[in-house]
């Protein structure tokens, strides 16, 4: 038997095609890339969340001279959400970046570790996170359920 897992995402030609709340979140993500601490990679990443309670929180990547100690923007954000608003779900997360050494005009997707962290948050709060992905300019990807980025992912369900 062969099983196919579909992966659906929408592509918008630019931020102006988005709904107002989504455009607002992405605009903030583009802006706060400058808060990143990325002296080693010069690759500034931001993640901005809209929470179920309406709050908006942002995170940026935080690097370290001992490179593996660095934390991605998405996990800085999820930790901030858990610390400041425990029990409150993220509904939408916008991710952007500014590559100080190159181009920033295409969307990037979360790394593997961040995908696992995002899925844990979804699983904990029993609701999907929408992802808005875009660089400083150009196309925007919209993924309605971040878990689709991690097909057959390992979750607490597997430990029952
Ligand atoms: N990075 C993120 O913060 N999020 C991603 O989704 C991809 C990569 C960071 C890690 C590192 O500080 C820099 O970008 C280059 O990999």
């Amino acid at each position: 038997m062969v099983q196919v897992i579909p992966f659906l995402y929408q592509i918008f030609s630019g931020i102006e095609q988005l709904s107002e709340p989504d455009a607002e979140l992405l605009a903030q993500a583009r802006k706060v890339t400058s808060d990143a601490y990325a002296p080693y990679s010069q690759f500034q990443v931001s993640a901005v969340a809209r929470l179920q309670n309406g709050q908006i929180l942002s995170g940026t990547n935080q690097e370290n001279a001992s490179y593996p100690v660095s934390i991605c923007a998405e996990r800085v954000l999820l930790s901030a959400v858990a610390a400041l608003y425990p029990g409150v779900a993220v509904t939408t997360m916008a991710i952007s970046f500014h590559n100080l050494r190159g181009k920033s005009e295409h969307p990037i997707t979360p790394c593997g570790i961040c995908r696992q962290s995002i899925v844990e948050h979804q699983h904990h709060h029993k609701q999907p996170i929408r992802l808005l992905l875009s660089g400083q300019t150009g196309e925007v990807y919209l993924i309605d359920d971040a878990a689709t980025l991690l097909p057959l992912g390992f979750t607490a369900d597997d430990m029952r």
Side-chain angles (χ1 to χ4, degrees):
M1 190 180 94
V2 175
Q3 187 76 34
V4 175
I5 299 176
F7 174 72
L8 300 180
Y9 68 111
Q10 292 176 65
I11 303 175
F12 296 88
S13 56
I15 193 170
E16 58 286 344
Q17 311 296 323
L18 301 178
S19 67
E20 209 176 300
D22 283 353
E24 185 196 342
L25 209 64
L26 176 56
Q28 185 163 337
R30 286 176 169 174
K31 196 166 152 213
V32 300
T33 52
S34 59
D35 293 343
Y37 177 67
Y40 307 104
S41 70
Q42 298 287 306
F43 195 81
Q44 302 176 314
V45 185
S46 63
V48 177
R50 188 184 300 281
L51 309 187
Q52 188 84 67
N53 65 5
Q55 287 290 330
I56 293 180
L57 276 187
S58 62
T60 53
N61 55 331
Q62 301 297 316
E63 297 187 346
N64 193 285
S66 175
Y67 292 3
V69 176
S70 304
I71 314 177
C72 293
E74 296 88 331
R75 279 174 293 130
V76 169
L77 172 64
L78 289 176
S79 298
V81 170
L84 296 171
Y85 298 99
V88 181
V90 173
T91 56
T92 304
M93 186 188 296
I95 299 170
S96 188
F97 70 101
H98 185 188
N99 181 2
L100 298 173
R101 288 189 182 139
K103 294 183 177 172
S104 310
E105 46 200 45
H106 62 283
I108 58 165
T109 58
C111 79
I113 294 177
C114 289
R115 291 179 194 207
Q116 186 74 28
S117 289
I118 292 168
V119 170
E120 183 76 27
H121 182 95
Q122 291 200 184
H123 201 264
H124 178 194
H125 295 280
K126 297 184 176 50
Q127 66 177 83
I129 295 179
R130 297 168 70 244
L131 293 181
L132 284 165
L133 310 172
S134 190
Q136 289 300 312
T137 56
E139 285 186 338
V140 183
Y141 293 173
L142 170 60
I143 299 171
D144 276 327
D145 179 352
T148 61
L149 277 177
L150 197 61
L152 300 183
F154 177 74
T155 69
D157 287 345
D158 297 306
M159 297 172 71
R160 275 196 204 138

